[in-house]
């Protein structure tokens, strides 16, 4: 790897927040630049924020390791053979975090969030077919502590963005 390669070539963090991360304006600007183009080189990022390439590399690595951000390739599941996506509302009858952790271990589940409202959890699943979806729903319902589910099958994606900036 050359020094000019950008952060997209680096491993990503686990996406979990590790505490209250206080970001300075330079780190926020780096995040916004990477949201716009995750393949930017450290050299280009350094020029944009007024830091050396090495300093940018260190900052980006800290942001990745702390779970503040991830740099990943966002794909279109349909073009990869995953023809069914759904959001599943889950009602629980036991500890929410235990159930959430169990569901997070499913390969087909890419998103798990503990919520307030009608559902205790929302999970997004990506499946190859309706039969695969049915199978995964059965596995979800079999997790200890799951009281019930409601499925919201995606028909057409109208918007998906990861560029909400920083505050």
């Amino acid at each position: 790897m050359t020094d000019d390669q950008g952060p997209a070539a680096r491993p990503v963090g686990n996406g979990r927040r590790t505490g209250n991360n206080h970001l300075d304006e330079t780190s926020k600007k780096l995040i916004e630049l990477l949201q716009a183009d995750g393949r930017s080189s450290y050299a280009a990022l350094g020029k944009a924020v007024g830091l050396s390439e090495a300093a940018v590399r260190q900052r980006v690595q800290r942001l990745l390791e702390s779970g503040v951000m991830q740099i990943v390739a966002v794909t279109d599941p349909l073009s990869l053979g995953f023809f069914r996506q759904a959001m599943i509302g889950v009602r629980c009858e036991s500890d929410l975090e235990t159930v959430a952790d169990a569901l997070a271990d499913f390969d087909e589940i890419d998103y798990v969030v503990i919520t307030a409202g009608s559902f205790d959890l929302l999970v997004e699943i990506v499946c190859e077919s309706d039969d695969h979806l049915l199978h995964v729903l059965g596995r979800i319902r079999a997790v200890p502590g799951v009281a019930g589910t409601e499925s919201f099958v995606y028909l057409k994606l109208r918007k998906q963005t990861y560029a909400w900036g920083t505050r």
Side-chain angles (χ1 to χ4, degrees), residues 8-31:
R10 304 275 188 211
V12 298
N14 65 7
R16 295 178 189 247
R17 294 183 190 147
T18 57
N20 189 5
N21 294 297
H22 298 285
L23 302 175
D24 65 12
E25 291 305 312
T26 302
S27 291
K28 289 179 181 181
K29 181 67 176 171
L30 284 171
I31 291 168

PDB file of all heavy atoms in Angstrom, residues 8-31:
ATOM      1  N   ALA A   8     -10.269   3.986   2.285  1.00  0.00           N
ATOM      2  CA  ALA A   8     -11.148   2.903   1.852  1.00  0.00           C
ATOM      3  C   ALA A   8     -10.413   1.575   1.802  1.00  0.00           C
ATOM      4  O   ALA A   8     -11.028   0.517   1.872  1.00  0.00           O
ATOM      5  CB  ALA A   8     -11.757   3.223   0.492  1.00  0.00           C
ATOM      6  N   ALA A   9      -9.098   1.603   1.711  1.00  0.00           N
ATOM      7  CA  ALA A   9      -8.323   0.372   1.668  1.00  0.00           C
ATOM      8  C   ALA A   9      -8.055  -0.181   3.066  1.00  0.00           C
ATOM      9  O   ALA A   9      -7.483  -1.239   3.207  1.00  0.00           O
ATOM     10  CB  ALA A   9      -6.995   0.640   0.957  1.00  0.00           C
ATOM     11  N   ARG A  10      -8.446   0.518   4.073  1.00  0.00           N
ATOM     12  CA  ARG A  10      -8.193   0.108   5.456  1.00  0.00           C
ATOM     13  C   ARG A  10      -9.351  -0.728   5.989  1.00  0.00           C
ATOM     14  O   ARG A  10     -10.480  -0.596   5.555  1.00  0.00           O
ATOM     15  CB  ARG A  10      -8.054   1.349   6.353  1.00  0.00           C
ATOM     16  CG  ARG A  10      -6.985   2.297   5.882  1.00  0.00           C
ATOM     17  CD  ARG A  10      -5.656   1.873   6.411  1.00  0.00           C
ATOM     18  NE  ARG A  10      -4.684   2.911   6.087  1.00  0.00           N
ATOM     19  CZ  ARG A  10      -3.436   2.650   5.867  1.00  0.00           C
ATOM     20  NH1 ARG A  10      -2.988   1.443   5.931  1.00  0.00           N
ATOM     21  NH2 ARG A  10      -2.611   3.619   5.574  1.00  0.00           N
ATOM     22  N   PRO A  11      -9.090  -1.565   7.018  1.00  0.00           N
ATOM     23  CA  PRO A  11     -10.182  -2.315   7.637  1.00  0.00           C
ATOM     24  C   PRO A  11     -11.149  -1.379   8.350  1.00  0.00           C
ATOM     25  O   PRO A  11     -10.767  -0.281   8.767  1.00  0.00           O
ATOM     26  CB  PRO A  11      -9.476  -3.228   8.651  1.00  0.00           C
ATOM     27  CG  PRO A  11      -8.034  -2.906   8.599  1.00  0.00           C
ATOM     28  CD  PRO A  11      -7.796  -1.847   7.572  1.00  0.00           C
ATOM     29  N   VAL A  12     -12.382  -1.817   8.501  1.00  0.00           N
ATOM     30  CA  VAL A  12     -13.392  -0.988   9.138  1.00  0.00           C
ATOM     31  C   VAL A  12     -13.606  -1.426  10.566  1.00  0.00           C
ATOM     32  O   VAL A  12     -13.319  -2.552  10.945  1.00  0.00           O
ATOM     33  CB  VAL A  12     -14.742  -1.030   8.385  1.00  0.00           C
ATOM     34  CG1 VAL A  12     -14.572  -0.485   6.993  1.00  0.00           C
ATOM     35  CG2 VAL A  12     -15.308  -2.422   8.348  1.00  0.00           C
ATOM     36  N   GLY A  13     -14.157  -0.517  11.386  1.00  0.00           N
ATOM     37  CA  GLY A  13     -14.506  -0.842  12.756  1.00  0.00           C
ATOM     38  C   GLY A  13     -15.800  -1.623  12.799  1.00  0.00           C
ATOM     39  O   GLY A  13     -16.387  -1.959  11.782  1.00  0.00           O
ATOM     40  N   ASN A  14     -16.261  -1.901  14.018  1.00  0.00           N
ATOM     41  CA  ASN A  14     -17.474  -2.705  14.157  1.00  0.00           C
ATOM     42  C   ASN A  14     -18.745  -1.875  14.136  1.00  0.00           C
ATOM     43  O   ASN A  14     -19.835  -2.426  14.205  1.00  0.00           O
ATOM     44  CB  ASN A  14     -17.413  -3.540  15.442  1.00  0.00           C
ATOM     45  CG  ASN A  14     -17.413  -2.692  16.697  1.00  0.00           C
ATOM     46  OD1 ASN A  14     -17.584  -1.476  16.651  1.00  0.00           O
ATOM     47  ND2 ASN A  14     -17.204  -3.333  17.825  1.00  0.00           N
ATOM     48  N   GLY A  15     -18.614  -0.555  14.053  1.00  0.00           N
ATOM     49  CA  GLY A  15     -19.784   0.291  13.945  1.00  0.00           C
ATOM     50  C   GLY A  15     -20.473   0.591  15.259  1.00  0.00           C
ATOM     51  O   GLY A  15     -21.445   1.323  15.300  1.00  0.00           O
ATOM     52  N   ARG A  16     -19.984   0.052  16.354  1.00  0.00           N
ATOM     53  CA  ARG A  16     -20.607   0.295  17.649  1.00  0.00           C
ATOM     54  C   ARG A  16     -19.981   1.517  18.296  1.00  0.00           C
ATOM     55  O   ARG A  16     -18.772   1.697  18.269  1.00  0.00           O
ATOM     56  CB  ARG A  16     -20.446  -0.921  18.556  1.00  0.00           C
ATOM     57  CG  ARG A  16     -21.187  -2.121  18.038  1.00  0.00           C
ATOM     58  CD  ARG A  16     -20.951  -3.288  18.951  1.00  0.00           C
ATOM     59  NE  ARG A  16     -21.485  -4.484  18.329  1.00  0.00           N
ATOM     60  CZ  ARG A  16     -22.518  -5.145  18.801  1.00  0.00           C
ATOM     61  NH1 ARG A  16     -23.111  -4.762  19.895  1.00  0.00           N
ATOM     62  NH2 ARG A  16     -22.953  -6.218  18.187  1.00  0.00           N
ATOM     63  N   ARG A  17     -20.804   2.316  18.894  1.00  0.00           N
ATOM     64  CA  ARG A  17     -20.304   3.492  19.583  1.00  0.00           C
ATOM     65  C   ARG A  17     -19.604   3.060  20.852  1.00  0.00           C
ATOM     66  O   ARG A  17     -20.051   2.173  21.553  1.00  0.00           O
ATOM     67  CB  ARG A  17     -21.453   4.439  19.914  1.00  0.00           C
ATOM     68  CG  ARG A  17     -22.075   5.011  18.682  1.00  0.00           C
ATOM     69  CD  ARG A  17     -23.148   6.003  19.031  1.00  0.00           C
ATOM     70  NE  ARG A  17     -23.869   6.328  17.825  1.00  0.00           N
ATOM     71  CZ  ARG A  17     -25.146   6.605  17.792  1.00  0.00           C
ATOM     72  NH1 ARG A  17     -25.848   6.607  18.886  1.00  0.00           N
ATOM     73  NH2 ARG A  17     -25.731   6.896  16.665  1.00  0.00           N
ATOM     74  N   THR A  18     -18.489   3.732  21.151  1.00  0.00           N
ATOM     75  CA  THR A  18     -17.707   3.348  22.310  1.00  0.00           C
ATOM     76  C   THR A  18     -17.726   4.417  23.395  1.00  0.00           C
ATOM     77  O   THR A  18     -16.886   4.426  24.261  1.00  0.00           O
ATOM     78  CB  THR A  18     -16.255   3.071  21.896  1.00  0.00           C
ATOM     79  OG1 THR A  18     -15.740   4.237  21.251  1.00  0.00           O
ATOM     80  CG2 THR A  18     -16.171   1.874  20.983  1.00  0.00           C
ATOM     81  N   GLY A  19     -18.677   5.318  23.354  1.00  0.00           N
ATOM     82  CA  GLY A  19     -18.748   6.354  24.371  1.00  0.00           C
ATOM     83  C   GLY A  19     -19.042   7.691  23.739  1.00  0.00           C
ATOM     84  O   GLY A  19     -19.376   7.799  22.574  1.00  0.00           O
ATOM     85  N   ASN A  20     -18.892   8.722  24.529  1.00  0.00           N
ATOM     86  CA  ASN A  20     -19.175  10.069  24.068  1.00  0.00           C
ATOM     87  C   ASN A  20     -17.954  10.600  23.322  1.00  0.00           C
ATOM     88  O   ASN A  20     -16.955  10.953  23.919  1.00  0.00           O
ATOM     89  CB  ASN A  20     -19.511  10.961  25.273  1.00  0.00           C
ATOM     90  CG  ASN A  20     -20.025  12.310  24.849  1.00  0.00           C
ATOM     91  OD1 ASN A  20     -20.230  12.558  23.664  1.00  0.00           O
ATOM     92  ND2 ASN A  20     -20.235  13.179  25.819  1.00  0.00           N
ATOM     93  N   ASN A  21     -18.024  10.613  22.016  1.00  0.00           N
ATOM     94  CA  ASN A  21     -16.912  11.064  21.193  1.00  0.00           C
ATOM     95  C   ASN A  21     -17.069  12.554  20.903  1.00  0.00           C
ATOM     96  O   ASN A  21     -18.008  12.964  20.260  1.00  0.00           O
ATOM     97  CB  ASN A  21     -16.873  10.293  19.874  1.00  0.00           C
ATOM     98  CG  ASN A  21     -16.566   8.836  20.103  1.00  0.00           C
ATOM     99  OD1 ASN A  21     -15.504   8.516  20.582  1.00  0.00           O
ATOM    100  ND2 ASN A  21     -17.506   7.973  19.780  1.00  0.00           N
ATOM    101  N   HIS A  22     -16.118  13.333  21.391  1.00  0.00           N
ATOM    102  CA  HIS A  22     -16.118  14.762  21.123  1.00  0.00           C
ATOM    103  C   HIS A  22     -15.216  15.005  19.929  1.00  0.00           C
ATOM    104  O   HIS A  22     -14.027  14.710  19.972  1.00  0.00           O
ATOM    105  CB  HIS A  22     -15.631  15.541  22.349  1.00  0.00           C
ATOM    106  CG  HIS A  22     -16.531  15.352  23.535  1.00  0.00           C
ATOM    107  ND1 HIS A  22     -17.753  15.968  23.637  1.00  0.00           N
ATOM    108  CD2 HIS A  22     -16.397  14.598  24.637  1.00  0.00           C
ATOM    109  CE1 HIS A  22     -18.333  15.614  24.768  1.00  0.00           C
ATOM    110  NE2 HIS A  22     -17.532  14.775  25.390  1.00  0.00           N
ATOM    111  N   LEU A  23     -15.790  15.533  18.868  1.00  0.00           N
ATOM    112  CA  LEU A  23     -15.054  15.733  17.628  1.00  0.00           C
ATOM    113  C   LEU A  23     -14.748  17.200  17.427  1.00  0.00           C
ATOM    114  O   LEU A  23     -15.633  18.050  17.572  1.00  0.00           O
ATOM    115  CB  LEU A  23     -15.863  15.223  16.441  1.00  0.00           C
ATOM    116  CG  LEU A  23     -16.269  13.753  16.481  1.00  0.00           C
ATOM    117  CD1 LEU A  23     -17.176  13.426  15.305  1.00  0.00           C
ATOM    118  CD2 LEU A  23     -15.048  12.867  16.478  1.00  0.00           C
ATOM    119  N   ASP A  24     -13.511  17.499  17.066  1.00  0.00           N
ATOM    120  CA  ASP A  24     -13.179  18.872  16.715  1.00  0.00           C
ATOM    121  C   ASP A  24     -13.616  19.141  15.278  1.00  0.00           C
ATOM    122  O   ASP A  24     -14.061  18.238  14.566  1.00  0.00           O
ATOM    123  CB  ASP A  24     -11.691  19.152  16.934  1.00  0.00           C
ATOM    124  CG  ASP A  24     -10.776  18.349  16.031  1.00  0.00           C
ATOM    125  OD1 ASP A  24     -11.254  17.722  15.057  1.00  0.00           O
ATOM    126  OD2 ASP A  24      -9.550  18.345  16.286  1.00  0.00           O
ATOM    127  N   GLU A  25     -13.517  20.381  14.863  1.00  0.00           N
ATOM    128  CA  GLU A  25     -13.987  20.766  13.532  1.00  0.00           C
ATOM    129  C   GLU A  25     -13.215  20.050  12.422  1.00  0.00           C
ATOM    130  O   GLU A  25     -13.787  19.734  11.384  1.00  0.00           O
ATOM    131  CB  GLU A  25     -13.915  22.287  13.356  1.00  0.00           C
ATOM    132  CG  GLU A  25     -14.916  23.054  14.222  1.00  0.00           C
ATOM    133  CD  GLU A  25     -16.351  22.583  14.016  1.00  0.00           C
ATOM    134  OE1 GLU A  25     -16.788  22.457  12.852  1.00  0.00           O
ATOM    135  OE2 GLU A  25     -17.042  22.323  15.022  1.00  0.00           O
ATOM    136  N   THR A  26     -11.937  19.774  12.623  1.00  0.00           N
ATOM    137  CA  THR A  26     -11.149  19.085  11.604  1.00  0.00           C
ATOM    138  C   THR A  26     -11.646  17.653  11.411  1.00  0.00           C
ATOM    139  O   THR A  26     -11.818  17.193  10.280  1.00  0.00           O
ATOM    140  CB  THR A  26      -9.651  19.089  11.970  1.00  0.00           C
ATOM    141  OG1 THR A  26      -9.220  20.450  12.107  1.00  0.00           O
ATOM    142  CG2 THR A  26      -8.817  18.395  10.922  1.00  0.00           C
ATOM    143  N   SER A  27     -11.906  16.956  12.514  1.00  0.00           N
ATOM    144  CA  SER A  27     -12.428  15.586  12.399  1.00  0.00           C
ATOM    145  C   SER A  27     -13.799  15.577  11.745  1.00  0.00           C
ATOM    146  O   SER A  27     -14.097  14.713  10.912  1.00  0.00           O
ATOM    147  CB  SER A  27     -12.494  14.929  13.776  1.00  0.00           C
ATOM    148  OG  SER A  27     -11.192  14.683  14.269  1.00  0.00           O
ATOM    149  N   LYS A  28     -14.633  16.543  12.098  1.00  0.00           N
ATOM    150  CA  LYS A  28     -15.954  16.637  11.466  1.00  0.00           C
ATOM    151  C   LYS A  28     -15.828  16.871   9.967  1.00  0.00           C
ATOM    152  O   LYS A  28     -16.555  16.271   9.173  1.00  0.00           O
ATOM    153  CB  LYS A  28     -16.775  17.757  12.112  1.00  0.00           C
ATOM    154  CG  LYS A  28     -17.235  17.440  13.518  1.00  0.00           C
ATOM    155  CD  LYS A  28     -18.021  18.602  14.098  1.00  0.00           C
ATOM    156  CE  LYS A  28     -18.475  18.313  15.507  1.00  0.00           C
ATOM    157  NZ  LYS A  28     -19.265  19.424  16.070  1.00  0.00           N
ATOM    158  N   LYS A  29     -14.901  17.725   9.574  1.00  0.00           N
ATOM    159  CA  LYS A  29     -14.693  17.998   8.144  1.00  0.00           C
ATOM    160  C   LYS A  29     -14.196  16.741   7.436  1.00  0.00           C
ATOM    161  O   LYS A  29     -14.660  16.427   6.318  1.00  0.00           O
ATOM    162  CB  LYS A  29     -13.702  19.160   7.968  1.00  0.00           C
ATOM    163  CG  LYS A  29     -13.453  19.527   6.532  1.00  0.00           C
ATOM    164  CD  LYS A  29     -14.680  20.122   5.872  1.00  0.00           C
ATOM    165  CE  LYS A  29     -14.364  20.575   4.462  1.00  0.00           C
ATOM    166  NZ  LYS A  29     -15.558  20.967   3.717  1.00  0.00           N
ATOM    167  N   LEU A  30     -13.293  15.986   8.054  1.00  0.00           N
ATOM    168  CA  LEU A  30     -12.818  14.741   7.459  1.00  0.00           C
ATOM    169  C   LEU A  30     -13.975  13.768   7.254  1.00  0.00           C
ATOM    170  O   LEU A  30     -14.080  13.126   6.210  1.00  0.00           O
ATOM    171  CB  LEU A  30     -11.738  14.100   8.334  1.00  0.00           C
ATOM    172  CG  LEU A  30     -10.364  14.738   8.288  1.00  0.00           C
ATOM    173  CD1 LEU A  30      -9.464  14.144   9.374  1.00  0.00           C
ATOM    174  CD2 LEU A  30      -9.736  14.588   6.919  1.00  0.00           C
ATOM    175  N   ILE A  31     -14.834  13.656   8.240  1.00  0.00           N
ATOM    176  CA  ILE A  31     -15.994  12.760   8.131  1.00  0.00           C
ATOM    177  C   ILE A  31     -16.876  13.185   6.968  1.00  0.00           C
ATOM    178  O   ILE A  31     -17.296  12.366   6.155  1.00  0.00           O
ATOM    179  CB  ILE A  31     -16.777  12.720   9.454  1.00  0.00           C
ATOM    180  CG1 ILE A  31     -15.951  12.022  10.533  1.00  0.00           C
ATOM    181  CG2 ILE A  31     -18.130  12.033   9.267  1.00  0.00           C
ATOM    182  CD1 ILE A  31     -16.503  12.184  11.937  1.00  0.00           C
TER     183      ILE A  31
END
